[in-house]
Amino acid sequence: MAAPAAGDGRVLAPFGRRRGAVVANEPSGGYRILTAVDEGGPMPAAGQFYMLAAERGWGGDGERPFLPRAFSVAEATGDAAGVRLAFLLEDVGPGTERLAALGEGEGLLLTGPLGRPFAMPDELNPQAAGAILVGGGIGLAPLAIWRRTLAARGVPERSLLGFRDREHRGGLELFRCSEVRLASEDGHAGHRGYVTDLLEGMLAGDSAATAVVYACGPPAMLETVRAICERRGVAAELAMESPMACGYGACFGCAVPLRDGGYMRLCVDGPVVRAADVATALVAGAGHR
Ligand SMILES: Cc1cc2nc3c(=O)[nH]c(=O)nc-3n(C[C@H](O)[C@H](O)[C@H](O)COP(=O)(O)OP(=O)(O)OC[C@H]3O[C@@H](n4cnc5c(N)ncnc54)[C@H](O)[C@@H]3O)c2cc1C
Ligand code: FES
């Protein structure tokens, strides 16, 4: 299970696609938590993702879905059987519909772990006193595994999670901590409004000089986080989405504009990016509403 690591902390994926076995697929509010055992794969780092497809009922004869779909790992634990991977899914189309219907024992084809993970707070800000995690909707998935990683390393962290409404809410059990503040657009839980309102309030009460923010969510939310952090001079990383056909740098479908000109391929240079490096988090064709 030992895996090679790239200089940037990435765990490198073995060549080829592996077959994992689904061990659970349970509803979690409006989402589902899909768990599979990856027998031969390495332990992923928080922020990395996998390209997933069902072994059966995926494409063929021109039917959709054809290409695999990208999913952030939300939880990973290792034992003698392999690495147990949990993914938080929102059913938005043919690929997620098929994955959401997978039963215990069925095959899950996976390529990964892929991409650049989150960096520790002191790598982003030498004065860092802790981390503020900001999640929107299904975007809480990579923050759940990151929160546990930070806690295991003794880094103080606070989490702010926002949801549109009850139907677009789930995965809270993946957080397993008390330091979570909620926001909802319809007011069904926590602050009525956006999760970025909570971030503004928290940063106003903190010393910006010691804050580090990690965010994942829909593009409009990420763009607001990016703008808030830029205005306050707070170091931040964003776990972004863009349309990914391959996941490993070959198709250029996932290009995201850089602040200083040019583009990055989000699948290899991200999906976690420094907020100060990107021109905008409003990426066309990406992200759940
Ligand atoms: C790095 C990365 C990590 C991701 N992690 C997760 C995750 O943890 N959980 C999760 O549920 N989804 C995640 N996604 C999004 C997921 O890949 C898409 O929801 C999925 O590809 C949709 O496939 P589909 O066949 O069901 O729907 P499609 O037919 O591909 O699309 C159906 C609808 O979803 C929208 N859509 C298309 N692509 C995306 C996208 N990339 N993100 C959001 N909406 C999209 C379309 O506009 C359309 O309205 C991630 C995407 C990336 C790039
Ligand atoms: S998804 Fe193909 S290059 Fe990034």
Side-chain angles (χ1 to χ4, degrees):
M1 219 172 298
D8 61 5
R10 267 181 306 163
V11 175
L12 296 180
F15 284 117
R17 191 152 78 154
R18 302 182 298 285
R19 180 193 185 277
V22 173
V23 292
N25 187 348
E26 286 158 354
S28 173
Y31 306 148
R32 296 195 76 82
I33 299 176
L34 175 68
T35 310
V37 172
D38 180 12
E39 229 178 89
M43 186 64 79
Q48 289 194 294
F49 68 99
Y50 289 76
M51 298 300 286
L52 300 182
E55 186 181 32
R56 293 179 200 288
W58 196 273
D61 296 333
E63 287 172 27
R64 296 187 73 212
F66 186 69
L67 296 168
R69 304 295 199 249
F71 292 90
S72 303
V73 61
E75 193 167 68
T77 48
D79 61 24
V83 179
R84 199 179 160 98
L85 300 168
F87 301 96
L88 188 65
L89 306 183
E90 183 175 21
D91 177 357
V92 293
T96 43
E97 186 184 0
R98 175 66 191 112
L99 294 172
L102 277 172
E104 228 174 285
E106 282 199 79
L108 178 68
L109 301 179
L110 35 89
T111 309
L114 300 166
R116 202 173 75 82
F118 292 112
M120 290 303 284
D122 60 0
E123 292 174 46
L124 302 175
N125 175 0
Q127 271 85 50
I132 303 172
L133 278 50
V134 189
I138 196 81
L140 71 81
L143 299 176
I145 180 171
W146 185 226
R147 192 205 73 75
R148 280 191 301 280
T149 308
L150 291 170
R153 296 194 193 173
V155 177
E157 31 71 30
R158 291 167 291 174
S159 300
L160 309 174
L161 301 178
F163 299 98
R164 202 188 324 170
D165 50 37
R166 279 182 206 281
E167 274 185 28
H168 299 88
R169 166 182 162 158
L172 281 169
E173 61 269 48
L174 292 167
F175 266 73
R176 291 194 206 102
C177 73
S178 52
E179 273 295 304
V180 176
R181 289 182 61 196
L182 298 181
S184 55
E185 289 175 46
D186 67 349
H188 78 274
H191 164 75
R192 179 188 286 271
Y194 294 123
V195 69
T196 46
D197 304 339
L198 298 179
L199 177 65
E200 281 274 23
M202 193 168 270
L203 289 177
D206 272 11
S207 161
T210 60
V212 175
V213 169
Y214 300 91
C216 185
M221 184 211 103
L222 285 185
E223 178 58 14
T224 305
V225 171
R226 193 195 64 74
I228 291 171
C229 291
E230 182 176 66
R231 182 162 30 85
R232 291 185 176 272
V234 171
E237 280 192 329
L238 312 176
M240 291 175 59
E241 288 186 12
S242 64
M244 290 189 182
C246 71
Y248 47 77
C251 72
F252 286 68
C254 62
V256 167
L258 290 167
R259 169 173 299 218
D260 296 334
Y263 291 85
M264 70 161 83
R265 284 167 298 168
L266 200 67
C267 64
V268 285
D269 302 320
V272 177
V273 302
R274 298 211 174 171
D277 289 347
V278 287
T280 175
L282 292 171
V283 175
H288 296 79
R289 149 70 181 93

